[in-house]
Amino acid sequence: MKKVGCIGVICTDVIVRHVNEMPEKGKLMPVNSITLQSGGCANNMAIDLKVMGVDVSLLGVIGNDGFGQYLKTNYEKYGVNTTGLKMVDGIDTSSSVVMSSSDGERSFWHCFGSNAALSDKDIDFDIVKNLDIISVMGTNLMPKFDGVPTANVLKKCKEMGKITTLDNAWDATGRWLELVGPALPYIDYYMPSIEEASLIAGKTEVEDICDVFLEKGVGTAIIKMGDKGSYIKNKNINKFIPSYKVKAVDTNGAGDSFCAGFVCGLANDWDLEKCAKFGNAVGALMVMSVGATGGAKPMSEVLKFLNERESNK
């Protein structure tokens, strides 16, 4: 099985359930629960992959504070390799307040914190050389790493013979293509959501969106389409992969878990259709639990779920 390195957004998530409306200024509104969990795109993928049995390393920056110590302890619990994770004095660990509504949808307040400190100079290529797949997770939330620095890292990874993947987060600044564009020629597997992909490509139809990315140098475009499923296109495949319908409890981490499932498939040398189906299955199982990694399951359980759903079609 191939070894994976996850580079990117790492944070703590303060999850508030259920938030269906905001209290007026100066007023208090009770909620069902407030919990602390690890989060961030790279964090989520790393933990999901480790639970599925993949050898995974996490590369990024966290603060030497209470949240940072919490994250380090959590990674030790799961067995994620943190040799490439820098803990820095004087900066706050990135954090989000996740407001989860009763229908499973969520909104975020996010502090860039330590993710704003991550740059291409923080990537240890002595670690990268021992890995097979490099996944950048959370483009648009790392001001010093987004754009040309990301492209430089992925270009070097490609020169080292590594498989590369990338998924971006929502860009509140609206610069979309400006931030992700420089990296596109160095991405083997690009996995944005349909909403993000449409804004980046300037197109609305999924096939047209994929074509834009392929023309800009992406090897394979994989578009996450939420509860509809996913769409995959390259020069050899052009196919919609339907989702597995479940009752969603919390959609936090759903997209990251799809990416983890897809990359798990790559690590096992599966064909791309199976990778996408497995990604859909991992995503479906994730939204049935609370938290960005609360529904992470071993590979055997995901395959059992996948095979049962496929046989019932």
Side-chain angles (χ1 to χ4, degrees), residues 42-64:
N43 166 92
N44 298 342
M45 175 182 270
I47 290 176
D48 293 347
L49 286 171
K50 190 62 183 178
V51 171
M52 289 186 285
V54 179
D55 189 329
V56 61
S57 296
L58 184 60
L59 297 86
V61 174
I62 58 176
N64 188 11

Side-chain angles (χ1 to χ4, degrees), residues 3-10 40-50 54-61 75 80-85 118 122-123 127-128 131-138 142 145 153-154 163 165 256 259-260 263-264:
K3 297 179 180 180
V4 179
C6 300
I7 301 173
V9 173
I10 302 165
C41 310
N43 166 92
N44 298 342
M45 175 182 270
I47 290 176
D48 293 347
L49 286 171
K50 190 62 183 178
V54 179
D55 189 329
V56 61
S57 296
L58 184 60
L59 297 86
V61 174
Y75 300 139
V80 173
N81 187 319
T82 57
T83 306
L85 181 62
L118 177 66
D122 292 307
I123 306 305
I127 295 173
V128 170
L131 304 172
D132 304 295
I133 302 172
I134 301 299
S135 294
V136 173
M137 297 290 292
M142 300 173 286
F145 190 72
V153 168
L154 291 177
I163 297 168
T165 83
D256 300 333
C259 294
V263 170
C264 180

Side-chain angles (χ1 to χ4, degrees), residues 204-225:
T204 55
E205 296 299 321
V206 67
E207 284 194 64
D208 295 337
I209 290 169
C210 289
D211 287 340
V212 169
F213 296 146
L214 297 180
E215 288 167 5
K216 291 184 178 296
V218 169
T220 299
I222 306 103
I223 309 300
K224 297 173 296 188
M225 302 180 70

